[in-house]
Coordinates of all heavy atoms in Angstrom, one line a residue:
M1 N -14.9 10.8 8.7 CA -15.6 12.0 8.6 C -14.8 12.9 7.6 O -13.6 13.1 7.8 CB -15.8 12.6 9.9 CG -16.4 14.0 9.9 SD -16.6 14.7 11.6 CE -17.8 13.6 12.2
A2 N -15.4 13.5 6.6 CA -14.7 14.3 5.7 C -14.1 15.5 6.4 O -14.7 16.1 7.2 CB -15.6 14.7 4.6
G3 N -12.9 15.8 6.0 CA -12.2 17.0 6.5 C -11.6 16.8 7.9 O -11.0 17.7 8.4
T4 N -11.7 15.7 8.4 CA -11.1 15.4 9.7 C -9.6 15.0 9.4 O -9.3 14.1 8.6 CB -11.8 14.2 10.4 OG1 -13.1 14.6 10.7 CG2 -11.1 13.9 11.8
K5 N -8.7 15.6 10.2 CA -7.3 15.3 10.0 C -6.8 14.5 11.3 O -7.4 14.8 12.4 CB -6.4 16.6 9.9 CG -6.7 17.3 8.6 CD -5.8 18.5 8.5 CE -6.1 19.3 7.3 NZ -5.3 20.4 7.1
R6 N -6.0 13.5 11.1 CA -5.4 12.9 12.2 C -4.0 12.5 11.9 O -3.6 12.3 10.8 CB -6.2 11.6 12.6 CG -6.2 10.5 11.6 CD -7.0 9.4 12.0 NE -7.2 8.5 10.9 CZ -7.1 7.2 11.0 NH1 -7.0 6.6 12.2 NH2 -7.3 6.4 9.9
L7 N -3.2 12.3 12.9 CA -1.8 11.9 12.7 C -1.7 10.3 12.6 O -2.2 9.6 13.5 CB -1.0 12.3 14.0 CG 0.5 12.0 13.9 CD1 1.2 12.7 12.8 CD2 1.1 12.3 15.3
I8 N -1.1 9.9 11.6 CA -0.9 8.5 11.4 C 0.5 8.1 12.0 O 0.6 7.1 12.6 CB -1.0 8.1 9.9 CG1 -2.4 8.4 9.3 CG2 -0.6 6.6 9.6 CD1 -2.5 8.4 7.9
C9 N 1.5 8.9 11.6 CA 2.8 8.7 12.2 C 3.6 10.0 11.9 O 3.2 10.8 11.2 CB 3.5 7.5 11.6 SG 3.9 7.6 9.8
D10 N 4.8 10.0 12.5 CA 5.7 11.1 12.2 C 6.2 11.0 10.8 O 6.6 9.8 10.4 CB 6.9 11.2 13.2 CG 6.5 11.6 14.6 OD1 5.5 12.4 14.7 OD2 7.1 11.2 15.5
A11 N 6.3 12.0 10.0 CA 6.7 11.8 8.6 C 8.1 11.3 8.6 O 8.4 10.5 7.6 CB 6.6 13.3 8.0
E12 N 8.9 11.6 9.5 CA 10.3 11.1 9.5 C 10.4 9.6 9.7 O 11.4 8.9 9.5 CB 11.2 11.7 10.7 CG 11.3 13.2 10.5 CD 10.0 14.1 10.9 OE1 9.3 13.6 11.7 OE2 9.9 15.1 10.2
A13 N 9.3 9.0 10.2 CA 9.3 7.5 10.4 C 9.2 6.8 9.0 O 9.5 5.6 9.0 CB 8.1 7.1 11.3
L14 N 8.8 7.5 8.0 CA 8.7 6.8 6.7 C 10.0 7.1 5.9 O 10.2 8.2 5.5 CB 7.5 7.4 5.9 CG 6.1 7.0 6.6 CD1 5.0 7.8 6.0 CD2 5.9 5.6 6.7
I15 N 10.7 6.1 5.7 CA 12.0 6.1 4.9 C 11.7 5.7 3.5 O 10.9 4.8 3.2 CB 13.0 5.1 5.6 CG1 13.3 5.5 7.0 CG2 14.3 5.1 4.8 CD1 14.0 4.5 7.8
E16 N 12.4 6.4 2.6 CA 12.3 6.2 1.1 C 12.4 4.7 0.9 O 13.4 4.1 1.1 CB 13.4 6.9 0.4 CG 13.3 6.8 -1.1 CD 12.3 7.7 -1.7 OE1 11.7 8.6 -1.1 OE2 11.9 7.4 -2.8
G17 N 11.3 4.1 0.2 CA 11.3 2.7 -0.1 C 11.4 1.8 1.0 O 11.6 0.6 0.8
G18 N 11.1 2.2 2.2 CA 11.2 1.4 3.4 C 9.9 0.9 3.9 O 8.9 0.9 3.2
S19 N 9.8 0.6 5.2 CA 8.6 0.1 5.7 C 7.5 1.1 5.7 O 7.8 2.3 5.8 CB 8.8 -0.3 7.2 OG 9.8 -1.3 7.4
G20 N 6.3 0.6 5.6 CA 5.1 1.5 5.7 C 4.5 1.5 7.0 O 4.9 0.7 7.9
V21 N 3.5 2.3 7.2 CA 2.7 2.3 8.4 C 1.3 2.0 8.1 O 0.7 2.7 7.2 CB 2.9 3.7 9.1 CG1 1.9 3.8 10.4 CG2 4.3 3.9 9.6
R22 N 0.7 1.0 8.7 CA -0.6 0.6 8.5 C -1.6 1.5 9.4 O -1.2 1.9 10.5 CB -0.8 -0.9 8.9 CG 0.0 -1.8 8.0 CD 0.1 -3.2 8.7 NE -1.2 -3.6 9.0 CZ -1.9 -4.6 8.3 NH1 -1.4 -5.2 7.3 NH2 -3.2 -5.0 8.7
F23 N -2.8 1.7 8.9 CA -3.8 2.3 9.7 C -5.1 2.0 9.2 O -5.2 1.3 8.1 CB -3.6 3.8 9.8 CG -3.7 4.5 8.4 CD1 -5.0 5.2 8.1 CD2 -2.7 4.6 7.5 CE1 -5.1 5.8 6.9 CE2 -2.9 5.1 6.3 CZ -4.0 5.8 6.0
M24 N -6.2 2.3 9.9 CA -7.5 2.0 9.4 C -8.2 3.3 9.1 O -8.0 4.3 9.7 CB -8.3 1.3 10.5 CG -7.7 0.0 11.0 SD -7.6 -1.3 9.7 CE -9.3 -1.7 9.6
L25 N -9.0 3.3 8.1 CA -9.8 4.5 7.7 C -11.2 4.1 7.4 O -11.5 3.0 7.0 CB -9.1 5.2 6.6 CG -9.0 4.6 5.2 CD1 -10.3 4.9 4.4 CD2 -7.9 5.3 4.5
E26 N -12.1 5.1 7.4 CA -13.5 4.9 7.1 C -13.6 5.3 5.6 O -13.2 6.4 5.2 CB -14.3 5.9 8.0 CG -14.3 5.6 9.4 CD -14.8 4.2 9.7 OE1 -15.8 3.8 9.2 OE2 -14.2 3.5 10.6
R27 N -14.2 4.4 4.9 CA -14.4 4.6 3.5 C -15.8 4.0 3.0 O -16.0 2.8 3.2 CB -13.3 4.0 2.6 CG -13.4 4.1 1.2 CD -12.2 3.4 0.5 NE -12.2 3.7 -0.9 CZ -12.0 2.8 -1.8 NH1 -11.8 1.5 -1.5 NH2 -11.9 3.1 -3.1
A28 N -16.7 4.9 2.6 CA -18.0 4.4 2.1 C -18.7 3.6 3.2 O -19.3 2.6 2.9 CB -17.9 3.7 0.8
G29 N -18.6 4.1 4.4 CA -19.3 3.4 5.5 C -18.6 2.1 6.1 O -19.2 1.5 6.9
E30 N -17.4 1.9 5.6 CA -16.7 0.7 6.1 C -15.4 1.2 6.6 O -14.8 2.1 6.2 CB -16.3 -0.2 4.9 CG -17.4 -1.1 4.3 CD -16.9 -2.1 3.2 OE1 -16.2 -3.0 3.6 OE2 -17.2 -1.8 2.1
T31 N -14.9 0.3 7.6 CA -13.5 0.5 8.1 C -12.6 -0.4 7.3 O -12.8 -1.6 7.3 CB -13.5 0.2 9.6 OG1 -14.4 1.0 10.3 CG2 -12.1 0.5 10.2
V32 N -11.6 0.2 6.6 CA -10.8 -0.6 5.8 C -9.3 -0.4 6.2 O -8.9 0.7 6.6 CB -11.0 -0.2 4.3 CG1 -12.4 -0.6 3.8 CG2 -10.7 1.2 4.0
P33 N -8.5 -1.4 5.9 CA -7.0 -1.2 6.2 C -6.4 -0.3 5.1 O -6.8 -0.4 3.9 CB -6.5 -2.6 6.2 CG -7.4 -3.4 5.3 CD -8.8 -2.7 5.4
A34 N -5.5 0.5 5.5 CA -4.8 1.4 4.6 C -3.3 1.5 5.0 O -2.9 0.9 6.1 CB -5.4 2.7 4.5
F35 N -2.5 2.1 4.3 CA -1.1 2.3 4.7 C -0.5 3.5 4.0 O -1.0 4.0 3.0 CB -0.3 1.0 4.3 CG -0.2 0.7 2.8 CD1 1.0 1.2 2.1 CD2 -1.1 0.0 2.2 CE1 1.1 1.0 0.7 CE2 -1.0 -0.2 0.8 CZ 0.1 0.2 0.1
V36 N 0.6 4.0 4.6 CA 1.4 5.0 4.0 C 2.8 4.6 3.8 O 3.3 3.8 4.6 CB 1.3 6.4 4.8 CG1 0.0 7.0 4.6 CG2 1.7 6.1 6.3
V37 N 3.4 5.0 2.8 CA 4.8 4.7 2.5 C 5.4 6.0 2.0 O 4.8 6.9 1.5 CB 5.1 3.6 1.4 CG1 4.6 2.2 2.0 CG2 4.4 3.8 0.2
R38 N 6.8 6.0 1.9 CA 7.4 7.2 1.3 C 8.1 6.7 0.0 O 8.8 5.7 0.0 CB 8.5 7.8 2.1 CG 9.2 9.1 1.5 CD 10.2 9.6 2.4 NE 9.6 10.2 3.7 CZ 9.0 11.4 3.8 NH1 8.9 12.2 2.8 NH2 8.5 11.7 5.0
F39 N 7.8 7.4 -1.1 CA 8.5 7.1 -2.4 C 8.7 8.3 -3.2 O 7.8 9.2 -3.2 CB 7.6 6.1 -3.2 CG 8.3 5.6 -4.5 CD1 9.2 4.7 -4.4 CD2 7.9 6.2 -5.7 CE1 9.8 4.2 -5.6 CE2 8.6 5.8 -6.9 CZ 9.5 4.8 -6.8
D40 N 9.9 8.4 -3.7 CA 10.3 9.6 -4.5 C 10.1 10.9 -3.7 O 9.7 12.0 -4.2 CB 9.5 9.7 -5.8 CG 10.2 10.6 -6.9 OD1 11.4 10.8 -6.8 OD2 9.5 11.0 -7.8
G41 N 10.4 10.7 -2.4 CA 10.4 11.9 -1.5 C 9.0 12.3 -1.0 O 8.8 13.2 -0.2
I42 N 8.0 11.6 -1.4 CA 6.6 12.0 -1.0 C 5.9 10.9 -0.3 O 6.1 9.7 -0.6 CB 5.8 12.4 -2.3 CG1 6.4 13.5 -3.1 CG2 4.3 12.6 -2.0 CD1 5.9 13.7 -4.5
V43 N 5.2 11.2 0.7 CA 4.3 10.2 1.5 C 3.1 9.9 0.7 O 2.4 10.9 0.2 CB 4.0 10.8 2.9 CG1 3.1 9.7 3.6 CG2 5.3 11.0 3.7
R44 N 2.9 8.7 0.5 CA 1.8 8.2 -0.4 C 0.9 7.2 0.4 O 1.5 6.4 1.1 CB 2.2 7.6 -1.7 CG 3.2 8.5 -2.4 CD 3.9 8.0 -3.5 NE 5.0 8.8 -4.0 CZ 4.8 9.6 -5.1 NH1 3.7 9.8 -5.7 NH2 5.9 10.3 -5.4
G45 N -0.4 7.3 0.3 CA -1.2 6.5 1.0 C -2.2 5.7 0.1 O -2.7 6.3 -0.9
Y46 N -2.4 4.5 0.5 CA -3.3 3.6 -0.3 C -4.2 2.7 0.6 O -3.7 2.4 1.7 CB -2.4 2.7 -1.2 CG -1.7 3.5 -2.2 CD1 -0.3 3.7 -2.1 CD2 -2.4 4.1 -3.3 CE1 0.4 4.4 -3.1 CE2 -1.7 4.9 -4.2 CZ -0.3 5.0 -4.1 OH 0.4 5.8 -5.0
I47 N -5.3 2.2 0.0 CA -6.1 1.2 0.6 C -5.2 -0.1 0.6 O -4.6 -0.4 -0.5 CB -7.4 1.0 -0.1 CG1 -8.2 2.2 -0.1 CG2 -8.2 -0.2 0.5 CD1 -8.6 2.7 1.3
N48 N -5.1 -0.8 1.7 CA -4.3 -2.0 1.7 C -5.1 -3.2 1.2 O -5.5 -4.1 2.0 CB -3.8 -2.3 3.2 CG -2.7 -3.4 3.3 OD1 -2.4 -3.9 2.2 ND2 -2.4 -3.7 4.4
R49 N -5.2 -3.3 -0.1 CA -6.0 -4.4 -0.7 C -5.5 -4.6 -2.1 O -5.4 -3.6 -2.9 CB -7.5 -4.1 -0.6 CG -8.4 -5.2 -1.1 CD -9.8 -5.0 -1.0 NE -10.2 -3.9 -1.7 CZ -11.3 -3.1 -1.4 NH1 -12.0 -3.4 -0.4 NH2 -11.6 -2.1 -2.1
C50 N -5.3 -5.8 -2.4 CA -4.9 -6.1 -3.8 C -6.1 -5.9 -4.7 O -7.2 -6.1 -4.4 CB -4.4 -7.6 -3.9 SG -3.8 -8.0 -5.5
A51 N -5.7 -5.5 -6.0 CA -6.8 -5.2 -6.9 C -7.3 -6.5 -7.5 O -8.4 -6.5 -8.1 CB -6.2 -4.4 -8.1
H52 N -6.7 -7.6 -7.3 CA -7.0 -8.9 -7.9 C -7.9 -9.7 -7.0 O -8.9 -10.3 -7.4 CB -5.8 -9.7 -8.3 CG -4.9 -8.8 -9.1 ND1 -3.5 -8.7 -8.8 CD2 -5.2 -7.9 -10.1 CE1 -3.0 -7.9 -9.8 NE2 -3.9 -7.4 -10.5
V53 N -7.6 -9.9 -5.8 CA -8.2 -10.7 -4.8 C -8.2 -9.8 -3.5 O -7.2 -9.2 -3.2 CB -7.5 -12.0 -4.6 CG1 -8.2 -12.8 -3.4 CG2 -7.5 -12.8 -5.8
P54 N -9.3 -9.8 -2.8 CA -9.4 -8.8 -1.7 C -8.6 -9.3 -0.5 O -9.1 -9.8 0.6 CB -10.9 -8.8 -1.3 CG -11.5 -10.0 -1.8 CD -10.6 -10.4 -3.0
V55 N -7.2 -9.2 -0.6 CA -6.3 -9.6 0.5 C -5.4 -8.3 0.7 O -5.2 -7.5 -0.2 CB -5.4 -10.8 0.1 CG1 -6.3 -12.1 -0.1 CG2 -4.6 -10.6 -1.1
E56 N -4.8 -8.3 1.8 CA -3.9 -7.2 2.2 C -2.6 -7.4 1.4 O -2.2 -8.6 1.1 CB -3.7 -7.0 3.6 CG -5.0 -6.6 4.3 CD -4.9 -6.4 5.8 OE1 -3.7 -6.5 6.4 OE2 -5.9 -6.1 6.4
L57 N -1.9 -6.4 1.1 CA -0.7 -6.5 0.3 C 0.6 -6.9 1.1 O 1.4 -7.7 0.5 CB -0.4 -5.2 -0.4 CG -1.4 -4.7 -1.4 CD1 -1.0 -3.3 -1.9 CD2 -1.5 -5.6 -2.5
D58 N 0.8 -6.4 2.3 CA 2.1 -6.5 3.0 C 2.5 -8.0 3.2 O 1.7 -8.7 3.7 CB 2.2 -5.6 4.2 CG 1.0 -5.6 5.0 OD1 -0.1 -5.9 4.6 OD2 1.2 -5.1 6.2
W59 N 3.7 -8.3 3.0 CA 4.2 -9.7 3.1 C 4.7 -9.9 4.5 O 4.8 -11.0 5.0 CB 5.3 -10.0 2.1 CG 6.4 -9.0 1.9 CD1 6.3 -7.9 1.0 CD2 7.6 -8.9 2.5 NE1 7.4 -7.2 1.1 CE2 8.3 -7.8 1.9 CE3 8.3 -9.7 3.4 CZ2 9.5 -7.4 2.4 CZ3 9.6 -9.4 3.8 CH2 10.2 -8.2 3.3
L60 N 5.1 -8.9 5.3 CA 5.2 -8.8 6.7 C 4.6 -7.5 7.1 O 4.5 -6.6 6.3 CB 6.7 -8.9 7.1 CG 7.4 -10.1 7.0 CD1 9.0 -9.9 7.3 CD2 6.9 -11.2 7.8
E61 N 4.1 -7.5 8.3 CA 3.4 -6.2 8.7 C 4.2 -5.0 8.4 O 5.3 -4.9 8.8 CB 3.0 -6.3 10.1 CG 2.1 -5.1 10.5 CD 1.5 -5.2 11.8 OE1 1.0 -6.3 12.2 OE2 1.4 -4.2 12.5
G62 N 3.6 -4.2 7.5 CA 4.3 -2.9 7.1 C 5.3 -3.0 6.0 O 5.9 -2.0 5.6
Q63 N 5.5 -4.2 5.4 CA 6.4 -4.4 4.3 C 5.7 -4.4 3.0 O 5.1 -5.5 2.7 CB 7.3 -5.7 4.6 CG 8.1 -5.7 5.9 CD 9.0 -4.5 6.0 OE1 9.8 -4.2 5.0 NE2 8.9 -3.8 7.1
F64 N 5.8 -3.4 2.3 CA 5.0 -3.2 1.0 C 5.8 -3.2 -0.2 O 5.3 -3.5 -1.3 CB 4.1 -2.0 1.1 CG 3.1 -2.0 2.2 CD1 3.4 -1.4 3.4 CD2 1.9 -2.6 2.0 CE1 2.4 -1.4 4.4 CE2 0.9 -2.7 3.0 CZ 1.2 -2.0 4.2
F65 N 7.1 -2.9 0.0 CA 8.0 -2.8 -1.3 C 8.6 -4.2 -1.6 O 8.8 -5.0 -0.8 CB 9.0 -1.8 -1.0 CG 8.6 -0.4 -1.2 CD1 8.3 0.4 0.0 CD2 8.4 0.2 -2.4 CE1 7.9 1.7 -0.2 CE2 8.0 1.5 -2.6 CZ 7.8 2.3 -1.4
D66 N 8.8 -4.3 -2.9 CA 9.6 -5.5 -3.4 C 11.0 -5.3 -3.0 O 11.4 -4.3 -2.4 CB 9.3 -5.7 -4.8 CG 10.0 -4.7 -5.7 OD1 10.6 -3.7 -5.2 OD2 9.9 -4.8 -7.0
S67 N 11.9 -6.2 -3.4 CA 13.3 -6.2 -2.9 C 14.0 -5.1 -3.6 O 15.1 -4.5 -3.1 CB 14.0 -7.5 -3.3 OG 13.9 -7.8 -4.6
S68 N 13.5 -4.5 -4.8 CA 14.2 -3.3 -5.4 C 13.8 -2.1 -4.7 O 14.6 -1.0 -4.9 CB 13.8 -3.3 -6.8 OG 12.4 -2.8 -7.0
G69 N 12.8 -2.0 -3.9 CA 12.3 -0.8 -3.3 C 11.7 0.2 -4.3 O 11.4 1.3 -4.0
L70 N 11.4 -0.4 -5.6 CA 10.8 0.5 -6.6 C 9.3 0.2 -6.8 O 8.7 1.0 -7.4 CB 11.6 0.3 -7.9 CG 13.0 0.6 -7.8 CD1 13.6 0.3 -9.2 CD2 13.2 2.1 -7.6
Y71 N 8.8 -0.9 -6.3 CA 7.4 -1.2 -6.5 C 6.8 -1.8 -5.3 O 7.4 -2.4 -4.5 CB 7.3 -2.4 -7.6 CG 7.8 -1.9 -8.9 CD1 9.1 -2.2 -9.3 CD2 7.0 -1.1 -9.8 CE1 9.6 -1.8 -10.6 CE2 7.5 -0.7 -11.0 CZ 8.8 -1.0 -11.4 OH 9.3 -0.6 -12.6
L72 N 5.5 -1.5 -5.1 CA 4.8 -2.2 -4.1 C 4.4 -3.6 -4.6 O 4.1 -3.7 -5.8 CB 3.5 -1.3 -3.8 CG 3.7 0.1 -3.4 CD1 2.4 0.9 -3.3 CD2 4.4 0.2 -2.1
I73 N 4.3 -4.5 -3.7 CA 4.1 -5.9 -4.2 C 3.0 -6.6 -3.3 O 3.1 -6.4 -2.1 CB 5.4 -6.7 -4.3 CG1 5.2 -8.0 -4.9 CG2 6.0 -6.8 -2.9 CD1 6.5 -8.7 -5.3
C74 N 2.2 -7.4 -4.0 CA 1.2 -8.1 -3.3 C 1.9 -9.4 -2.8 O 2.5 -10.2 -3.5 CB 0.0 -8.5 -4.2 SG -1.2 -9.5 -3.4
S75 N 1.7 -9.7 -1.5 CA 2.4 -10.9 -0.9 C 1.7 -12.1 -1.4 O 2.3 -13.2 -1.3 CB 2.3 -10.8 0.6 OG 0.9 -10.8 1.0
T76 N 0.5 -12.1 -1.9 CA -0.2 -13.4 -2.3 C 0.3 -14.0 -3.6 O 0.7 -15.1 -3.6 CB -1.7 -13.1 -2.3 OG1 -2.1 -12.7 -1.0 CG2 -2.4 -14.4 -2.6
H77 N 0.3 -13.2 -4.6 CA 0.7 -13.7 -5.9 C 1.8 -12.9 -6.6 O 2.1 -13.1 -7.7 CB -0.5 -13.9 -6.9 CG -1.6 -14.8 -6.4 ND1 -2.8 -14.3 -6.2 CD2 -1.5 -16.1 -5.9 CE1 -3.6 -15.3 -5.7 NE2 -2.8 -16.4 -5.6
G78 N 2.2 -11.8 -6.0 CA 3.3 -11.0 -6.5 C 3.0 -10.0 -7.5 O 3.9 -9.4 -8.2
A79 N 1.7 -9.6 -7.7 CA 1.4 -8.4 -8.6 C 2.2 -7.2 -8.0 O 2.3 -7.0 -6.8 CB 0.0 -8.1 -8.6
T80 N 2.7 -6.4 -8.9 CA 3.3 -5.2 -8.5 C 2.6 -4.0 -8.8 O 1.8 -3.9 -9.8 CB 4.8 -5.0 -9.1 OG1 4.7 -5.1 -10.4 CG2 5.6 -6.2 -8.5
Y81 N 2.8 -2.9 -8.0 CA 2.0 -1.6 -8.1 C 3.0 -0.5 -8.2 O 4.0 -0.5 -7.4 CB 1.0 -1.5 -7.0 CG 0.0 -2.5 -7.0 CD1 0.2 -3.7 -6.4 CD2 -1.2 -2.3 -7.5 CE1 -0.8 -4.7 -6.3 CE2 -2.3 -3.3 -7.6 CZ -2.0 -4.4 -6.9 OH -3.0 -5.4 -6.9
H82 N 2.8 0.5 -9.0 CA 3.6 1.7 -9.1 C 3.3 2.5 -7.8 O 2.2 2.9 -7.6 CB 3.3 2.5 -10.3 CG 3.6 1.8 -11.6 ND1 4.9 1.6 -12.0 CD2 2.9 1.1 -12.5 CE1 4.9 0.9 -13.1 NE2 3.7 0.6 -13.4
P83 N 4.3 2.8 -7.0 CA 4.1 3.5 -5.8 C 3.7 5.0 -6.0 O 3.1 5.6 -5.2 CB 5.4 3.4 -5.0 CG 6.4 3.0 -6.0 CD 5.7 2.3 -7.1
E84 N 3.9 5.5 -7.2 CA 3.5 6.9 -7.5 C 2.0 7.0 -7.6 O 1.5 8.0 -7.4 CB 4.2 7.4 -8.8 CG 5.7 7.3 -8.9 CD 6.2 6.1 -9.6 OE1 5.4 5.0 -9.5 OE2 7.2 6.1 -10.2
T85 N 1.4 5.9 -8.2 CA 0.0 6.0 -8.5 C -0.8 5.0 -7.9 O -2.1 5.1 -7.9 CB -0.2 5.9 -10.1 OG1 0.3 4.6 -10.5 CG2 0.6 6.9 -10.8
G86 N -0.3 3.9 -7.5 CA -1.0 2.7 -7.0 C -1.6 1.9 -8.1 O -2.3 0.8 -7.8
Q87 N -1.3 2.2 -9.3 CA -1.7 1.4 -10.5 C -0.9 0.1 -10.6 O 0.3 0.1 -10.3 CB -1.6 2.2 -11.7 CG -2.5 3.4 -11.9 CD -4.0 3.0 -11.8 OE1 -4.4 2.1 -12.6 NE2 -4.8 3.5 -10.9
C88 N -1.6 -1.0 -10.9 CA -0.9 -2.3 -11.1 C 0.0 -2.2 -12.3 O -0.5 -1.8 -13.4 CB -2.0 -3.4 -11.2 SG -1.2 -5.0 -11.2
G89 N 1.2 -2.7 -12.1 CA 2.1 -2.6 -13.3 C 2.4 -4.0 -13.8 O 2.2 -4.2 -15.1
V90 N 2.6 -5.0 -13.0 CA 2.8 -6.4 -13.5 C 1.8 -7.2 -12.8 O 1.5 -7.1 -11.6 CB 4.2 -6.9 -13.1 CG1 4.4 -8.3 -13.5 CG2 5.3 -5.9 -13.6
W91 N 1.1 -8.0 -13.5 CA -0.1 -8.7 -13.1 C 0.0 -10.2 -13.2 O -0.6 -10.9 -14.1 CB -1.2 -8.2 -14.0 CG -2.6 -8.5 -13.5 CD1 -3.0 -9.1 -12.4 CD2 -3.7 -8.2 -14.3 NE1 -4.3 -9.2 -12.4 CE2 -4.8 -8.6 -13.5 CE3 -4.0 -7.6 -15.5 CZ2 -6.1 -8.4 -14.0 CZ3 -5.2 -7.4 -15.9 CH2 -6.4 -7.9 -15.2
P92 N 0.8 -10.8 -12.3 CA 0.9 -12.3 -12.4 C -0.1 -13.1 -11.6 O 0.0 -14.3 -11.4 CB 2.3 -12.5 -11.8 CG 2.4 -11.4 -10.7 CD 1.7 -10.3 -11.3
C93 N -1.1 -12.4 -11.1 CA -2.0 -13.1 -10.2 C -2.7 -14.2 -10.9 O -3.4 -14.1 -11.9 CB -3.1 -12.1 -9.7 SG -4.3 -12.9 -8.5
S94 N -2.6 -15.4 -10.3 CA -3.2 -16.6 -10.8 C -4.6 -16.8 -10.3 O -5.2 -17.7 -10.6 CB -2.3 -17.8 -10.6 OG -2.1 -18.0 -9.1
G95 N -5.0 -15.9 -9.4 CA -6.3 -16.0 -8.8 C -7.4 -15.5 -9.7 O -8.6 -15.4 -9.3
L96 N -7.1 -15.0 -10.8 CA -8.1 -14.4 -11.7 C -8.5 -15.4 -12.8 O -7.8 -16.3 -13.2 CB -7.5 -13.2 -12.5 CG -7.1 -12.0 -11.6 CD1 -6.4 -11.0 -12.4 CD2 -8.3 -11.5 -10.9
S97 N -9.7 -15.2 -13.2 CA -10.2 -16.1 -14.3 C -10.0 -15.4 -15.6 O -9.6 -14.3 -15.7 CB -11.7 -16.4 -14.1 OG -12.4 -15.1 -14.0
Ligands
FES101 S1 -4.1 -11.6 -4.7 FE1 -2.7 -10.0 -5.1 S2 -1.6 -10.7 -6.9 FE2 -3.1 -12.3 -6.5

């Protein structure tokens, strides 16, 4: 519902470049998985779905960052996403034609 606020987690639970918190949200009449992480001091939220194949990104539940802690990474084929924008940066997905 537009304008409804709810608590996902305490802001202090999100550590810079660390684990994210998964949650579900309503989007266009569907319930979809989403997550929040902290990057560059700001809490950022995204739909938990790779842009290439409709799979969730986290490689373990709540683990969205690569080993550098600088990029979000898809656990399926390793595409990386800029945590500031959610835009795909490196696109190694072999699942595309
Ligand atoms: S499904 Fe995410 S990179 Fe291929």
Side-chain angles (χ1 to χ4, degrees):
M1 177 181 294
T4 300
K5 294 182 181 181
R6 65 180 172 144
L7 180 66
I8 297 169
C9 66
D10 289 330
E12 296 78 30
L14 297 171
I15 298 168
E16 182 76 21
S19 298
V21 172
R22 297 167 50 104
F23 64 101
M24 302 299 287
L25 67 81
E26 298 297 319
R27 180 181 188 224
E30 284 184 69
T31 302
V32 298
F35 64 95
V36 288
V37 292
R38 183 179 297 278
F39 186 77
D40 203 17
I42 298 171
V43 174
R44 304 171 191 263
Y46 296 106
I47 302 297
N48 189 5
R49 184 174 60 206
C50 184
H52 308 132
V53 177
V55 297
E56 295 183 5
L57 295 176
D58 39 343
W59 46 274
L60 288 174
E61 186 167 320
Q63 302 302 311
F64 296 97
F65 281 101
D66 68 358
S67 59
S68 73
L70 298 176
Y71 298 97
L72 304 171
I73 186 166
C74 175
S75 62
T76 300
H77 301 122
T80 56
Y81 296 84
H82 296 285
E84 304 95 328
T85 62
Q87 294 295 306
C88 187
V90 179
W91 193 5
C93 183
S94 59
L96 297 175
S97 56

